[in-house]
């Protein structure tokens, strides 16, 4: 677990050189792909689910309206299959605005609206049961793009 802070600090240390060689320029079409771990827990009247974690995937497509403002659609999802064959899937679809307070640096904040879909299929004693639900939601976040190429950034 100590490796992550060292890796992040190393990326930030080299980002100064990368930023100078490849300034933060945002214009036209924007796309992003991300991979990570997602986690979700569900509760409702008469049911309960332990929090589950699984592989998560993210896609974003949009465009820069100005060098400091991106409008985009995002799709994120996480899925997990248990040893007994039970499956849980959580997806989010949203429309977001990503704003860079100082266009020359990579720090951004984002906000948006969308909806989530949750599907849980449980299996027990040869029987299966499925729970599905959809809900509206809000998106809020912040991040930092580390420019590593003319048209490529890493965002931890």
């Amino acid at each position: 677990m100590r490796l992550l802070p060292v890796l992040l600090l190393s990326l930030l240390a080299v980002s100064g050189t990368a930023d100078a060689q490849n300034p933060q320029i945002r214009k036209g079409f924007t796309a992003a792909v991300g991979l990570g771990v997602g986690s979700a827990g569900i509760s409702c009247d008469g049911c309960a689910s332990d929090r589950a974690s699984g592989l998560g995937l993210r896609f974003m497509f949009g465009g820069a309206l100005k060098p400091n403002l991106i409008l985009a659609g995002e799709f994120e999802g996480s899925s997990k299959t248990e040893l007994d064959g039970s499956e849980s899937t959580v997806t989010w679809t949203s429309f977001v605005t990503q704003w860079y307070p100082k266009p020359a640096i990579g720090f951004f904040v984002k906000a948006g609206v969308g909806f989530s879909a949750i599907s849980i299929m449980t299996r027990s004693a040869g029987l299966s049961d499925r729970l599905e639900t959809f809900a509206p939601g809000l998106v809020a976040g912040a991040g930092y793009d580390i420019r590593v190429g003319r048209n490529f950034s890493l965002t931890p």
Side-chain angles (χ1 to χ4, degrees):
M1 213 44 171
R2 293 181 184 180
L3 180 62
L4 183 62
V6 171
L7 179 62
L8 289 176
L9 288 174
S10 299
L11 283 172
L12 288 174
V14 299
S15 72
T17 304
D19 285 343
Q21 295 170 354
N22 302 292
Q24 299 277 354
I25 299 172
R26 292 167 208 89
K27 62 182 178 179
F29 179 73
T30 301
V33 176
L35 184 65
V37 175
S39 177
I42 299 170
S43 64
C44 60
D45 293 339
C47 70
S49 171
D50 292 334
R51 180 163 289 278
S53 298
L55 183 63
L57 189 59
R58 174 182 175 264
F59 297 99
M60 179 182 89
F61 300 100
L65 298 180
K66 299 194 289 187
N68 69 335
L69 185 65
I70 293 175
L71 294 180
E74 288 186 336
F75 175 80
E76 301 178 56
S78 180
S79 183
K80 183 176 184 179
T81 302
E82 300 290 342
L83 293 175
D84 66 0
S86 297
E87 300 172 5
S88 58
T89 303
V90 180
T91 58
W92 299 266
T93 303
S94 54
F95 178 74
V96 297
T97 300
Q98 197 161 293
W99 177 62
Y100 296 79
K102 294 186 178 184
I105 63 170
F107 175 75
F108 66 86
V109 292
K110 74 176 183 177
V113 297
F115 67 91
S116 63
I118 300 169
S119 173
I120 298 175
M121 184 179 66
T122 58
R123 296 181 188 211
S124 177
L127 300 173
S128 64
D129 192 17
R130 179 178 294 273
L131 166 69
E132 293 181 331
T133 186
F134 299 90
L138 299 174
V139 175
Y144 190 90
D145 294 335
I146 301 170
R147 185 64 58 139
V148 294
R150 183 171 172 263
N151 291 316
F152 188 78
S153 297
L154 293 176
T155 307

